[in-house]
Amino acid sequence: MKKVFAVLVALTLVLSMGTMAFAADTGSITISNALEGAEYNIYKMFDFAPVEGSTTQGRYTVVSGWEAFLAGDGAAYLKTNADTGTIEWNGEETAERKAELAKKAVAYAKANSIAATETKTADADGAVTFADVALGYYAIDTSLGTICALTNVDNTFEAHEKNEKPDIDKYVQEDSEMTNADEGWGKVNDADIDQQVNYKSTVTVGLGATNYVMHDTMESGLTFNNDVAVKLADGTVVAAANYTVVYPATDGHTFDVQFKNDFIAGLAKGTQFTVYYSATLNENANIVTDGNDNTVYLSYGEDSTWETNEHKTTTYTWKMDVEKFTQDGGNRINLANAVFMLLRTEGVKDSAIKFTDVTKEGEIPTYMVDAAGTITEIVTDDGGKFEIVGLDADTYYLHEEAAPAGYNKLANDVEIVIDSTYDEENLTATATVSGVNAEGFIEVENKTGSLLPETGGIGTTIFYVVGGLLMVAAFVLLVSKKRMASFA
């Protein structure tokens, strides 16, 4: 059974059911301010036969198919006069009770497959007229869900369509701005891969429409966390019994939230409630140039065929490219086999970010942020390069864990800042990375060590030299003495 609930009664439901009279055999029903494209149905519940020559007297009789309603749900509001046989109002004539009868009458017609007496669709003129309508008592509903009930008065009746469309808007939270006055809610944010991204969609209640369904679609780079919570504007948590989360959705969206009509009917026009939920930025995320979109819209009305405009937020994630090199006599040499870690806290290796190797054939080594990854050390290739993808805008520290053979390891971590700027209107963002060259690489220079200067004594060589000279001198002296002795 499909229930249809009313938010308003377009006119007094019935003025006096036993005293209506008509001067003609037909009348008309006009819906003013009708919404283009909305479908309007009238259901004849009772026939009316005026007393000949009288404009104030007549008799209502039940239309075939409505007997059970008159004896059932309608009995609290309508009764058959035992003396006249006509149907008349039963009890106090309040607007609330008339609205209740209207809702129950239309719900009965739909539940029992009672065809509408006549159906019309509103055009751009904003008016719908049912002409030459047989005198009687009618219930009216629209595809928007607004219901009113009426009786022909002086052969004509005009009902004013007071339904107002609901609306929805969507926001994403930037985690670095959560302490701001707006708590960081906007249309654009950025995040690490594997980071939770918070969303909220705020519904503004219209007047009369029913069957609210929120449809949310996330791109493949976002994984819905199935954590829906609903709150009123004052922070009051809405009980989960008032809505149903359909996940995965069966209509091509990521998930739907179907709101109970009783919940919507209890909210005044203009009331807002907010749906909170989150997603995780995953390994399929678009990097840098394309964001990761989340789109929402609200359907409503009978069969939920009416739709609001779509509203979208976009989440970005960034990258850094690193190039390790040295200078040798004015020549630039890129260095392979340098080992790096990317730290969130300077000098604290326990803060090293974990990665998964996602290098594609023929490309430089590429590492994606992965909270469950096993890689913390990144090695430069033969060109001295590597790439890290999936980073939030933040400050990072590039720590050299091991230098290439023959080179000194960096004494200090290299600070790298990724700074982003948002265009909320166009849902775009740009990022700047500190220390990059014209090709977009962060340059990290290494220097080789040189031979240290020698210091200390003159060594033993001189002693060998002096000793040898002394031996030669002694030999010469000995020979000279022998010769002199022979001449003596």
Side-chain angles (χ1 to χ4, degrees), residues 88 131 289:
E88 57 187 35
T289 54

Side-chain angles (χ1 to χ4, degrees), residues 52-106:
E52 186 177 354
S54 173
T55 61
T56 60
Q57 299 295 317
R59 182 170 178 267
Y60 287 99
T61 55
V62 66
V63 171
S64 177
W66 287 89
E67 297 89 350
F69 177 75
L70 184 60
D73 287 344
Y77 311 91
L78 304 167
K79 64 182 180 180
T80 301
N81 187 299
D83 295 328
T84 63
T86 188
I87 300 168
E88 57 187 35
W89 188 255
N90 181 23
E92 188 178 4
E93 294 185 25
T94 64
E96 291 76 15
R97 296 192 74 228
K98 296 168 186 177
E100 290 170 6
L101 174 61
K103 289 184 286 186
K104 291 182 178 181
V106 175

